[in-house]
Amino acid sequence: MKIAVLGGDGFVGWPTALHLSDAGHEVHILDNLSRRWIDTELGVQSLTPMDSIQERTRIWHAETGRRIHFNLIDLARDYELLKNWLAEHRPDAVVHFAEQRAAPYSMKSDRHKNYTVNNNVNATHNLLNALVELELDAHLVHLGTMGVYGYSTIGAAIPEGYLPVGIETMGGETVNQEILYPSNPGSVYHMTKCLDQLLFQFYAKNDRLRITDLHQGIVWGTHTEQTRRHPQLINRFDYDGDYGTVLNRFLIQAAIDYPLTVHGTGGQTRAFIHIQDSVRCIELALRNPPARGSRVEIFNQMTETHRIRDLAEMVARMTGAKIAWLPNPRKEAAENELVVRNEKFLALGLNPVRLEDGLLSEIVDVAKKFAYRVDRSRVPAVSAWTKDIAPLINHDPEGKRLKSVS
């Protein structure tokens, strides 16, 4: 297939582009490189040294003989440019990663909230609008989030996208139907993914677009089979309080002798998936598109669930790291259960990578190798969900701030 990977320079986008190219597909990356600019804004860098996208794709071609094409396009702002590219290339499938992906970043300030909504929602709608206008029957695969469901506990497993309900009619009878699972976003970022869902439902119904929405858990890990092939193909690794995912952050904290930062009771249960499984799931979704005119296909793209404090204790046992119990910058329940159904990908042949498969030590090794690149001041999570929470945040988990002499 000819596949457009929107946001293909990012944390999941880059290894996906490599994986699809390695599988024999013609891959085109469309990206505005905004994630690199955000690094500049935050004064932080990927733990792993990243070359330019042009150098990355050059190395891939030198190693494999396969080309990945790069196009500098801002999907949220350059509608005509996007439409013209789609009209010229008419891809068979579009994989959509081109959204600001960090919940803490989306809550930093009013400016960051506006940016996240404008970037994410406009990018998604511009893409859908262009596909309809061009009468382009490309299968759209979108990377969503488990966060659209929220984390409340109702004593039942979260289904894959749709909830069967009984509705009482005027005549007193019960009519059964399936509805989109009620959205319960926990941040502005998660809210934009909920808005994406509604856009997809409308365009699938109104214009018969073929859409798959992947509700993904928290990604952990560093390498995929393809990123291991050359040092310059390495994926980015975020450790800072805004973009670092929780398990990766614990492992880099352990590697640099920084306390593991657990917020609140650590009783938040989250869904997880390894980066290798993430790219496999995207390929499986591409191989199994919905029929034209059918409803949006929804997968829960996760493989296991864990409490945050349990993960911290596991990493502490493995590495000898200390745990720091800090105030929670998020507005959320202190404890929650999370039971998630994920039969669809398992039925398609996914053989998941589990935490016990020994890859945690691999991440620690990567973290130690590049520990010299860490800015310790960027490790704490300090983006507050509300103004009331902001004064409670601990900006110095190590307790190393200069104190006045009495």
Side-chain angles (χ1 to χ4, degrees):
M1 290 188 287
K2 180 188 289 187
I3 302 174
V5 180
L6 315 182
D9 187 48
F11 174 51
V12 183
W14 174 244
T16 298
L18 296 184
H19 184 84
L20 295 176
S21 177
D22 203 31
H25 302 290
E26 179 184 333
V27 175
H28 297 255
I29 290 175
L30 280 65
D31 202 305
N32 67 349
L33 306 182
S34 61
R35 183 65 191 87
R36 295 175 184 255
W37 284 106
I38 289 171
D39 274 349
T40 302
E41 174 205 347
L42 297 177
V44 72
Q45 61 184 349
S46 165
L47 176 72
T48 50
M50 289 169 51
D51 283 311
S52 69
I53 184 64
Q54 292 86 353
E55 180 66 5
R56 284 173 137 187
T57 55
R58 186 191 70 79
I59 292 292
W60 178 249
H61 179 249
E63 288 293 307
T64 67
R66 304 197 61 83
R67 291 197 181 279
I68 294 177
H69 308 273
F70 170 66
N71 306 269
L72 184 65
I73 298 178
D74 188 326
L75 270 69
R77 296 180 177 180
D78 299 335
Y79 174 71
E80 292 298 329
L81 201 57
L82 169 64
K83 187 171 74 168
N84 291 341
W85 188 93
L86 291 170
E88 178 184 351
H89 293 276
R90 301 194 73 84
D92 303 296
V94 177
V95 183
H96 178 19
F97 298 112
E99 296 181 86
Q100 192 290 107
R101 66 170 177 84
Y105 185 84
S106 77
M107 303 298 291
K108 288 183 79 66
S109 71
D110 55 350
R111 178 176 69 81
H112 293 88
K113 292 174 183 178
N114 280 344
Y115 170 75
T116 301
V117 172
N118 291 339
N119 182 80
N120 293 6
V121 179
N122 283 346
T124 297
H125 189 259
N126 282 349
L127 173 61
L128 295 166
N129 202 11
L131 292 175
V132 171
E133 185 66 19
L134 296 170
E135 298 181 341
L136 178 55
D137 182 29
H139 175 205
L140 170 58
V141 176
H142 171 256
L143 193 70
T145 172
M146 287 292 302
V148 299
Y149 299 123
Y151 295 106
S152 60
T153 299
I154 60 171
I158 293 175
E160 300 204 73
Y162 297 98
L163 180 68
V165 296
I167 301 173
E168 188 174 340
T169 67
M170 300 288 285
E173 300 175 343
T174 299
V175 176
N176 295 317
Q177 70 177 86
E178 285 194 317
I179 64 170
L180 194 65
Y181 195 93
S183 298
N184 187 18
S187 71
V188 167
Y189 156 72
H190 292 106
M191 182 182 67
T192 64
K193 296 290 190 175
C194 295
L195 296 174
D196 285 343
Q197 284 194 122
L198 295 178
L199 290 170
F200 296 145
Q201 295 292 318
F202 173 77
Y203 277 99
K205 175 186 69 174
N206 193 70
D207 298 286
R208 307 178 75 230
L209 294 187
R210 296 184 295 133
I211 302 172
T212 298
D213 199 9
L214 307 176
H215 292 166
Q216 180 165 258
I218 297 170
V219 181
W220 65 280
T222 50
H223 290 300
T224 63
E225 180 184 337
Q226 290 74 32
T227 63
R228 286 189 181 94
R229 291 189 182 175
H230 191 281
Q232 288 176 271
L233 297 176
I234 196 166
N235 198 20
R236 71 175 299 124
F237 187 112
D238 297 307
Y239 65 87
D240 63 286
D242 286 317
Y243 275 90
T245 59
V246 61
L247 182 53
N248 279 2
R249 273 170 52 78
F250 283 166
L251 292 164
I252 180 62
Q253 287 168 350
I256 65 171
D257 194 27
Y258 194 102
L260 310 184
T261 51
V262 177
H263 297 99
T265 67
Q268 311 91 334
T269 305
R270 297 290 191 258
F272 292 87
I273 186 170
H274 188 268
I275 186 70
Q276 180 71 69
D277 283 340
S278 187
V279 301
R280 287 174 182 150
C281 286
I282 291 155
E283 184 183 17
L284 287 171
L286 286 166
R287 287 184 191 169
N288 296 274
R292 188 164 170 81
S294 64
R295 71 182 184 181
V296 177
E297 181 67 74
I298 298 177
F299 292 82
N300 287 340
Q301 188 165 304
M302 52 71 64
T303 55
E304 53 192 321
T305 60
H306 296 277
R307 285 193 191 279
I308 300 303
R309 62 173 172 253
D310 294 339
L311 290 178
E313 288 163 3
M314 178 184 67
V315 173
R317 286 194 303 271
M318 185 178 80
T319 64
K322 301 287 193 298
I323 298 176
W325 302 87
L326 306 176
N328 193 349
R330 302 189 182 216
K331 187 174 183 179
E332 62 183 351
E335 306 267 333
N336 75 279
E337 303 294 333
L338 183 64
V339 182
V340 183
R341 302 188 66 171
N342 67 338
E343 291 92 347
K344 288 184 181 180
F345 273 132
L346 297 178
L348 292 175
L350 179 67
N351 182 23
V353 175
R354 304 286 187 182
L355 289 185
E356 65 264 22
D357 290 341
L359 294 183
L360 294 182
S361 57
E362 172 190 281
I363 303 169
V364 174
D365 290 343
V366 171
K368 288 180 177 177
K369 179 179 179 180
F370 296 109
Y372 69 93
R373 292 171 55 85
V374 172
D375 179 349
R376 300 176 82 95
S377 70
R378 301 301 177 184
V379 173
V382 298
S383 294
W385 259 233
T386 69
K387 292 181 179 179
D388 292 337
I389 293 173
L392 306 177
I393 292 175
N394 185 335
H395 291 252
D396 185 29
E398 292 190 283
K400 291 186 175 180
R401 184 167 296 169
L402 290 174
K403 298 178 176 61
S404 60
V405 178
S406 57

